[in-house]
Amino acid sequence: MTLRRRALTQFTISGLAMSGLAALATPARADAPRVTIALVPIYGTDPFYTTMNRGARAAAQAVGATLLYQGPTEPSPVQQVQALNAVMARKPDVLLVAPADRTLMVAPLRKVALDLGVPVICVDTYIGATPATYQTGGGEADFPLCYIASDDAAGGALAARGLANAIEGAGQVYVSATWPTVATLGRREEGFRAEMARSFPNVTVLPTQYTGMDPAKAAIQLHAMLQQAPNLAGVFCVNPGAAVGTFNALKEAGRSGMVKLAVIDATEQMVGALKSGQVDLIVSQHPAEMGWLGTMLGYGVATGQSIPTRIDTGFTLMDRKNIDDPGMKRFIYAR
Ligand code: T6T
């Protein structure tokens, strides 16, 4: 891989100013090719993906492309395949997809890429081996042209450093996760555990609890963990689906603010919890940039350009000291 290509594939975007990039995209000329791009999320109502869609729409408007956004009502590979079939019937030129399962979605997406001949770009999550690397010439899941997402292991490590600092470098913590089959979430847990082991020997990471996005289950798990570890110091929630039930249960137990919480994703609900003291650190991703870049690169592919195989869209750290800074507003997942 040439140095330039490596530089491109490792081109990390942190704090991307979409307005700046938008300025690079001149308005579409009347004779510009009409390109249709489809975006299929894990599930369509998730604020993370509606924010991704907002960025995708901005890019589609800048280049005069048509954007189709179609996702299941809940996270399920079976439902995602149904959404995929529906959107492919509308014959898009390029598919952007956040695979709901890194194994089960290989065959359906391979059909799109190789049988239907529609280029596939993975956004947020991925298919195949970890870390996601594509166009290498090997393997069943090598066909996506690019993977545009956060480096989730790095996100887990950021959360570990923030949580360790919040508990003054010592104590028992655990990871509250949601779905074990979604590639990104497992990487966050791995990155969190590795960083704690590497840098914080006095922090003990207890067994991970899987909530399946069910706040009631997260609450039951929190209460059980408080029984197991009465001096529990902190919890890392891999996304808001794990955080809501956790911080509600802490409030019920009268432990809000005493057990520190770090969470990935800056939904408006998580920002409200940060401001009210129920959450202590947010590691915000950049879903709007993922959607914007996915659409721009998809347009490039549809008009004959080659594109990098990996774009890392970075993170923004939010706490009570900086959350009201003007520059933070655009990283909050507002619909
Ligand atoms: O955390 C995001 C996303 O990055 C992850 O892949 C799935 O969950 C979210 O959509 C949040 O619900």
Side-chain angles (χ1 to χ4, degrees):
M1 183 184 294
T2 63
L3 187 58
R4 180 180 179 283
R5 187 165 174 74
R6 185 180 293 119
L8 271 177
T9 54
Q10 291 166 358
F11 177 52
T12 297
I13 295 174
S14 57
L16 180 70
M18 266 201 303
S19 53
L21 269 181
L24 299 179
T26 50
R29 302 189 320 271
D31 61 346
R34 201 67 202 160
V35 172
T36 298
I37 295 170
L39 171 56
V40 176
I42 289 185
Y43 69 109
T45 54
D46 180 336
F48 176 87
Y49 294 114
T50 57
T51 303
M52 183 186 286
N53 184 37
R54 174 164 55 81
R57 282 203 315 273
Q61 188 174 2
V63 295
T66 300
L67 181 74
L68 308 173
Y69 178 71
Q70 180 139 6
T73 54
E74 62 181 55
S76 146
V78 171
Q79 287 200 29
Q80 190 174 52
V81 170
Q82 291 166 0
L84 190 60
N85 292 339
V87 86
M88 292 315 295
R90 300 172 67 182
K91 300 194 183 312
D93 298 296
V94 179
L95 172 67
L96 310 179
V97 60
D101 185 298
R102 58 194 281 198
T103 304
L104 296 179
M105 290 305 295
V106 172
L109 292 174
R110 192 173 171 80
K111 186 178 166 191
V112 168
L114 304 186
D115 297 352
L116 301 181
V118 174
V120 173
I121 292 174
C122 287
V123 289
D124 178 43
T125 65
Y126 57 91
I127 50 173
T130 297
T133 46
Y134 299 124
Q135 299 297 307
T136 62
E140 286 296 297
D142 192 43
F143 54 85
L145 296 184
C146 183
Y147 176 45
I148 303 172
S150 315
D151 174 344
D152 285 285
L158 277 171
R161 288 193 286 274
L163 191 59
N165 291 332
I167 63 173
E168 297 175 0
Q172 293 173 301
V173 303
Y174 75 91
V175 179
S176 181
T178 47
W179 313 296
T181 57
V182 174
T184 48
L185 305 176
R187 292 287 284 158
R188 294 172 196 175
E189 177 190 354
E190 289 164 16
F192 179 86
R193 285 183 174 279
E195 181 61 18
M196 283 302 191
R198 181 172 42 240
S199 308
F200 301 99
N202 296 325
V203 176
T204 304
V205 184
L206 300 171
T208 297
Q209 305 298 307
Y210 291 96
T211 70
M213 297 274 286
D214 178 355
K217 195 170 179 184
I220 290 166
Q221 289 166 345
L222 184 278
H223 288 302
M225 293 302 275
L226 285 176
Q227 292 290 324
Q228 178 185 333
N231 297 320
L232 182 71
V235 185
F236 167 43
C237 301
V238 299
N239 70 9
V244 174
T246 302
F247 63 60
N248 287 339
L250 282 172
K251 191 171 182 179
E252 287 163 12
R255 301 288 290 271
S256 287
M258 288 181 263
V259 176
K260 304 300 182 186
L261 249 63
V263 62
I264 289 188
D265 289 326
T267 61
E268 290 168 326
Q269 186 179 27
M270 292 303 108
V271 172
L274 177 68
K275 292 181 176 180
S276 68
Q278 290 184 294
V279 164
D280 299 280
L281 173 74
I282 294 177
V283 179
S284 176
Q285 298 188 76
H286 299 152
E289 285 77 357
M290 291 180 202
W292 199 94
L293 286 161
T295 302
M296 281 297 182
L297 266 65
Y299 183 80
V301 170
T303 52
Q305 308 301 321
S306 65
I307 64 172
T309 56
R310 175 72 171 103
I311 290 186
D312 173 347
T313 47
F315 297 101
T316 297
L317 292 182
M318 298 175 176
D319 58 25
R320 276 184 286 282
K321 291 194 291 289
N322 70 7
I323 188 59
D324 291 321
D325 292 354
M328 282 298 159
K329 187 169 171 39
R330 66 187 172 86
F331 291 116
I332 297 172
Y333 306 176
R335 293 173 189 269

